[in-house]
Structure formats: C-alpha cells, structure tokens
DNA sequence: GTCTATAGGGGGATAGAC
DNA sequence: GTCTATCCCCCTATAGAC
C-alpha cells in the first residue's frame, strides 16, 4: 500500500517516464527548492537563490515548474506527506499496542526531525498563510479515523484506562512534547547557550521520557 | 520595578515628549504594523498594507520609522517583551510556591495567547531568520537565573521532589503544553474541523489540566 | 534542455507641495 | 505632519538563440 498521494508535476508528469536515469535537473531543482523554502519560507525565498543552489539557471526553474508558486506547492505537499506518513504508518499498524504506538511515534519523529529540524516550523508557519488547500489533497483525516490507533484509544477510554478528556488533548500533548523543542530551538540557542551536542542529548533522552510522561499524563 | 526595556524609537523619542495627547499617527502605525506583521511575518508583509490598515499614507510610515526594517524591529522587540514579561513576573515572585507558579503561568499564558493567538508562531518563525540580536537586547537570561523560580526548582531537585533530569525538559514541557496548541491551530482547524468555540473550551480545560500534568510528569 | 537578455510589475523609499 | 507623485531596484517570468 502506497501512502504517497498521486500528485502531478503538471508538464513533467508524462515526460518523466520517457527519460532513462534522471537524478538530474528537475530533481536538483526540487532538492534546492526544498532546502531554501524549508529554511526561509515562501515569502522570503528568492527563485534566484533556488536556481543558484541547484547550480542551474533561473529560466530553467520556470521551464520545469512554471512558477515559484507551483514549485512551492509541490514542495509543501511532499513535505507534509513525508511528515504525516510516519504517524499514519505507526497508527495504522494493527499489530502494536497503544503504548507501543506512542513509543514508536516519539522515536521515529525525533529521529526524523533531528535530521530535518526546520520541517515543523516550516509546515506550521506556511499553513498559516496558504489557504487550507493542502489538506483537501491529503486524506489524513479519513485515514486517522479508521486507524488502529483510534480504535485502541476509544477502547482504552471505555475501559477507563485513559482519562476521559477530549482526545485532542492527547494529540496535542504527544505532538507538542515531541515537536515543540525543535520549534523553540532558536530561542534555546540564543537564550540558554545550548549547543548542538547538548540539544541532541536532550532529544535522545526525550525518546524515552515522552512515552512515560504520556502514560502518566493520560492516566484517569 | 519596570520590566520594560528602554528602547528608543529613534527620531521620535524626543518629539514624543513635546506632544500633548498622542494616541495618534505613530501609535496608529505601530498598531497596524503589529497586526499585519503578527499575521504574515516580515517577508510577506507589504508596507502599503500597514499604511492602509493604519488609515494613513505610505510616506508617513517612512517619515516616522525610516524603514520597514526599523519598524519591524520595534514591533518584534515589544512583542517579545510582552510575551516574556508574563513569565518573568510570575517567576520572580518570591511569595508563591513552585506549584503556584506553574498554575499562574498556565493560566496567564493561555489567556494572553487566546487574545493574541498569532504571537507564538510569529516570534518563533521570525527568530529563525533574524540573527539573535533581539536577545542581546532582552536580559531574560540573567533575570531567570536569579529568579525565585530557579531557586525553588533547584531546591525541589535536591529534596528529590522533582525528577533529576535536565531542567530544560521542564521548560520545554511547560511551554510546549501551553503554546503548541496555538501554533498547531491551523492544522486542527483544517484537519479536525475544530471551530473557535470548541478550541476555546479545550484551552480552558488545559488551564486546569496542565498544572496537574506537569506535577505528574516531573515527579521523581 | 539550457542559456542570455529583457520585459513587466511590485514594493520600499524619497522629493516636494501643502 | 501629511499628502501625491515618482524613482528605482529587485524579483518573477518569458522570449528567443543555441
């Protein structure tokens, strides 16, 4: 089962098939765009910078992607997919318990975001402006409703193993505990003189701590 | 004791004194700038939009603040002050216990951010780009080190009333639990069809819940 | 497909009248 | 202090040669 959505690159969708071994140009541009957009956001990004980063000419960017806007939408959609994918996979897995799902989400997300620390802030701040179009293209909502996680969670509430508060608290707590440190990273750096190494140690600790915290937090 | 810093508006600092009753122009521009900057961030904001929002002409904006950049720095600094002020006041208060401080921070911050929901994301995303200059102008670090909160926290650790993990976990958990829902708000809206009223209810619940959670989380 | 050159427009800032 | 008019740069996008 592929969890990736069928998005199209428009112009290129057909041509892509006809090429032999294409780790070039189009992919180079997308990769550069990802880097710059993630770091600066849409408004602060200059297409010239993407072109330079990709080692190609500015005109070529428009040749492949028509406009900055369209290129951005592709990057945004892929980034969101990549981010939600982890959660979906873990939550759909019928063979793990609720506790194991929490452990896995904490571990996998912290690993993911240690690798690409700009992603949470990128997604959250870009969603603020762009209309909610991205979500209509991502069937996360439907997937989550039917997920193994949801079933287990509702069972746990009925069996009084979990406090009977709005489930949104659960999601907010879990994701907040995982993701917030990366969003607040710049503040920590400037404020508390926290270096990279120390931050990584702290986040490694949290892989273990968050599941424990979540358990005590959600106890009835 | 004033916790506000002596920042200057440059050109205007002197003139301000000479005016009689000035809730006008300069303040109108700043107010408009606050609104637009908070909502869109520096890069996406157009000075023309600020001018329109303020009901004045674009030229006047530059007359008062010299440039978009300078205006932004004033807004940014004031916003950060306003935000940290709450924490500082609560944490400096020698007459409250550690538990009471947590209760007060949760309650006051949630109130503050319900009023101005864009602030957390604004601060966090704008810090990403702008160099850490803003922090050198804010003596938060020094204030916090000497605060009543820090003393009480260290005592609690020594008396084994609080788990002996890096104190940063405490700060990250507290602020994450409070602030993250507002950062993730757009996602909730699009994803879970969560309306304003329901969100407020959830946040009211969290005023009570967060102190409880923090207590269980930080237990040894 | 990839480049150079350039069109076209938006946005920040200023000149100068009132 | 406040406005209108305008400058000018920078950025996106395209035309057209190779």
């Amino acid at each position: 089962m592929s969890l990736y959505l069928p998005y199209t690159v428009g112009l290129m969708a057909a041509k892509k098939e006809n090429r032999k071994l294409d780790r070039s140009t189009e992919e180079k541009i997308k990769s550069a765009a990802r880097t710059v957009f993630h770091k600066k956001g849409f408004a602060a990004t200059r297409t010239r910078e993407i072109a330079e980063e990709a080692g190609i000419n500015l005109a070529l960017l428009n040749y492949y992607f028509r406009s900055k806007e369209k290129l951005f939408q592709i990057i945004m959609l892929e980034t969101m997919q990549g981010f939600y994918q982890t959660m979906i996979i873990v939550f759909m897995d019928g063979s793990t318990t609720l506790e194991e799902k929490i452990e896995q989400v904490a571990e996998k997300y912290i690993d993911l975001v240690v690798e690409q620390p700009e992603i949470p802030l990128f997604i959250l701040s870009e969603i603020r402006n762009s209309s909610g179009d991205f979500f209509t293209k991502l069937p996360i909502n439907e997937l989550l409703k039917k997920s193994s996680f949801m079933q287990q969670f509702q069972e746990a509430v009925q069996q009084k193993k979990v406090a009977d508060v709005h489930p949104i608290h659960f999601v907010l707590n879990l994701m907040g505990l995982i993701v917030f440190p990366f969003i607040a990273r710049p503040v920590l750096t400037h404020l508390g003189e926290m270096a990279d190494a120390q931050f990584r140690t702290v986040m490694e600790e949290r892989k273990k701590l968050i599941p424990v915290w979540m358990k005590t937090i959600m106890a009835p």
Side-chain angles (χ1 to χ4, degrees), chain A:
Chain A
M1 170 182 60
S2 167
L3 291 161
Y4 277 98
L5 299 172
Y7 68 88
T8 53
V9 189
L11 276 181
M12 291 299 103
K15 294 184 186 168
K16 213 173 186 175
E17 311 302 328
N18 300 331
R19 277 176 280 162
K20 294 142 197 188
L21 177 61
D22 232 270
R23 251 233 172 296
S24 54
T25 319
E26 184 177 342
E27 196 48 52
K28 259 192 287 181
I29 296 174
K30 271 177 60 173
S31 176
R34 215 172 292 130
T35 306
V36 183
F37 278 139
H38 282 183
K39 198 163 73 189
K40 305 196 168 178
F42 177 78
T45 292
R46 310 294 122 181
T47 49
R48 282 179 163 82
E49 192 177 347
I50 296 177
E52 192 184 6
E53 174 87 19
I56 52 100
N57 192 278
L58 173 60
L60 213 50
L61 188 152
N62 288 289
Y63 173 75
Y64 275 99
F65 297 96
R66 294 286 298 169
S67 76
K68 178 189 178 185
E69 179 74 33
K70 289 219 172 64
L71 175 54
F72 176 78
Q73 284 178 359
I74 291 168
I75 299 297
M76 180 72 174
L77 211 58
E78 287 188 11
T79 304
M80 288 179 67
Q81 280 170 203
F83 192 80
Y84 288 124
Q85 198 189 18
T86 300
M87 185 166 43
I88 302 281
I89 288 175
V90 172
F91 280 7
M92 299 280 277
D93 184 352
S95 72
T96 55
T97 66
L98 193 59
E99 286 79 12
E100 286 167 341
K101 287 190 175 61
I102 295 171
E103 285 169 23
Q104 285 185 21
V105 164
E107 180 162 346
K108 289 193 177 176
Y109 264 116
I110 290 178
D111 282 340
L112 179 80
V113 186
V114 162
E115 289 299 312
Q116 308 185 320
E118 339 76 29
I119 285 188
L121 195 48
F122 168 76
I123 292 180
L124 261 6
S125 59
E126 294 303 322
I127 280 177
R128 171 178 53 168
N129 300 328
S130 43
S131 55
D133 283 357
F134 296 109
F135 289 100
T136 61
K137 291 175 186 163
L138 294 171
I140 312 158
N141 211 2
E142 291 69 29
L143 284 171
L144 279 182
K145 273 181 187 162
K146 297 174 187 166
S147 68
S148 162
F149 165 80
M150 266 303 175
Q151 288 179 15
Q152 290 171 331
F153 187 81
Q154 285 163 351
E155 281 175 25
V157 171
Q158 283 171 1
Q159 296 170 10
K160 313 229 175 190
K161 288 179 182 172
V162 163
D164 190 15
V165 294
H166 195 298
I168 196 70
H169 287 299
F170 184 89
V171 179
L172 287 174
N173 293 347
L174 179 58
M175 294 310 290
L177 289 173
I178 295 172
V179 154
F180 182 73
F182 293 90
I183 301 178
R185 181 71 212 282
V187 181
L188 297 182
T189 311
H190 294 305
L191 212 62
E193 309 116 14
M194 174 166 272
D196 266 29
Q198 195 187 357
F199 184 75
R200 281 186 186 236
T201 311
V202 167
M203 291 317 297
E204 279 303 318
E205 289 170 20
R206 288 178 84 85
K207 280 190 196 173
K208 300 264 166 59
L209 290 171
I210 288 174
V212 178
W213 291 336
M214 284 300 295
K215 209 168 178 179
T216 63
I217 275 186
M218 286 299 143

